[in-house]
Amino acid sequence: MKVQLYRKPTCSLCDEAKKVLERVRPKLGFELEEIDIQSSPELAERYGKRIPVVVADGAELSELEVDAKALEAALVAQAGKGKAPEKPKGTPRPIRSAFSGLVLLAFVAVLASKAYQIFVEPERLSLEYIAVEPLDIPAPPLSLESRDGKRVTLADFKGQTVFLNFWATWCDSCRMEMPSMARLAGQLKRPGFAMLAVSVDDGWKEVDEFLGGRALDFTVLRDPGSKGADAYGTHKLPETYIIGPDGRIKAKFTGPREWDDSAFDRYFANLLGPAAAPAAPFQAPAASK
């Protein structure tokens, strides 16, 4: 496994992250590469506000993670993705029995296994596929800035299911995610559901340029200074929270998703009921060089 540490030369948190990596490196046996983000404008733009960032075999781990146990667990999990599953050990051949009861029990077990595969396993695998983190905690209050300068609060959406997404125009993953998020907003356009796309950009100029003046089926807000994102513990853009009508966070999604994937059809159908007709496609502009 190859691990990359994106950092700056004068960064105490980066130094701490390196110490943690060096500590677990002998145990995991990975190759460590330190990369100075100041070596290129692209790296400075991508990681400048988030260092240190640890990337293992191309997968970005949680930034600002300098806890040895947590980081080691994340590295072990990432290393395990590239390994072939262990072949189960053989079991002794059963002694033949004339008792038909054993045959009946085996038949019942097969039926139970099939029933699990048909009725239970698809739902479980679907949730694993979309990588949802189930929660049931109070949603922190929010006071956000709308494009016309008004204040919008989370309390304004009381009694609705809220899709709350924190993003930024300088975040490549956010830019890639936005078109599918827009399509989902069109599919779920109905009373009782609200999608909030909260930008942590420094100003509206970048947001306006990215959205290009399009009519959208979701509400775009801004979070100056990332105070709202910090209140939710957001550490890796994009991050999405599903807030129930009772004002409690029901789920969290860390990182980008293909929101119009069929797996989300089932997820939101269970959450809201059947989806409405899809909206017109949204085409995001290419990232500026």
Side-chain angles (χ1 to χ4, degrees):
M1 180 171 64
K2 183 174 183 179
V3 176
Q4 296 165 311
L5 172 62
Y6 290 89
R7 57 166 302 162
K8 286 182 180 178
T10 55
C11 168
S12 58
L13 198 56
C14 300
D15 293 336
E16 186 63 26
K18 182 183 177 182
K19 291 179 182 178
V20 173
L21 289 170
E22 291 289 4
R23 197 177 309 144
V24 300
R25 183 180 178 185
K27 181 178 180 180
L28 300 179
F30 55 79
E31 176 186 351
L32 177 60
E33 177 185 9
E34 293 183 71
I35 301 175
D36 182 359
I37 65 168
Q38 295 176 337
S39 61
S40 78
E42 291 78 10
L43 291 177
E45 181 181 2
R46 178 177 298 179
Y47 298 116
K49 298 183 180 181
R50 303 185 291 134
I51 60 167
V53 175
V54 178
V55 176
D57 283 347
E60 184 176 321
L61 306 182
S62 298
E63 59 270 16
L64 304 182
E65 178 60 86
V66 294
D67 178 79
K69 291 184 178 179
L71 185 54
E72 180 178 354
L75 290 169
V76 169
Q78 181 60 28
K81 293 180 180 179
K83 295 181 179 179
E86 292 185 4
K87 188 175 181 180
K89 296 180 179 179
T91 55
R93 178 175 299 187
I95 300 175
R96 291 186 177 183
S97 172
F99 294 105
S100 60
L102 293 178
V103 177
L104 179 60
L105 286 175
F107 180 69
V108 171
V110 170
L111 288 179
S113 175
K114 289 297 181 183
Y116 177 85
Q117 292 174 17
I118 294 171
F119 298 108
V120 179
E121 192 170 29
E123 184 68 23
R124 178 182 63 81
L125 292 178
S126 177
L127 293 177
E128 289 180 359
Y129 174 72
I130 63 178
V132 58
E133 179 183 345
L135 296 172
D136 188 16
I137 58 176
L142 282 176
S143 180
L144 304 166
E145 177 185 301
S146 66
R147 187 65 187 86
D148 57 8
K150 296 180 180 179
R151 303 305 299 179
V152 176
T153 68
L154 184 62
D156 296 335
F157 302 91
K158 184 179 180 180
Q160 300 184 54
T161 297
V162 177
F163 180 107
L164 177 66
N165 175 270
F166 290 101
W167 70 288
T169 59
W170 45 260
C171 164
D172 291 341
S173 297
C174 303
R175 298 173 71 95
M176 291 187 296
E177 176 186 60
M178 189 65 71
S180 69
M181 200 170 90
R183 291 190 290 270
L184 177 69
Q187 293 169 358
L188 300 181
K189 189 176 181 180
R190 70 188 73 183
F193 176 81
M195 180 179 287
L196 309 181
V198 181
S199 167
V200 298
D201 283 275
D202 294 332
W204 281 106
K205 179 182 177 182
E206 298 86 352
V207 177
D208 291 341
E209 290 177 352
F210 173 68
L211 296 177
R214 293 171 178 80
L216 301 169
D217 290 315
F218 56 90
T219 302
V220 180
L221 303 169
R222 202 168 68 85
D223 181 21
S226 301
K227 294 180 180 178
D230 291 343
Y232 276 70
T234 297
H235 64 279
K236 182 176 183 179
L237 297 177
E239 282 194 357
T240 300
Y241 300 84
I242 305 299
I243 303 172
D246 58 356
R248 298 178 68 83
I249 299 176
K250 303 300 183 181
K252 175 182 177 180
F253 298 87
T254 301
R257 297 292 189 278
E258 287 291 339
W259 291 107
D260 54 353
D261 188 287
S262 59
F264 283 107
D265 292 343
R266 173 180 294 181
Y267 179 79
F268 284 103
N270 290 338
L271 194 67
L272 302 169
F282 171 93
Q283 295 294 331
S288 56
K289 300 294 183 183

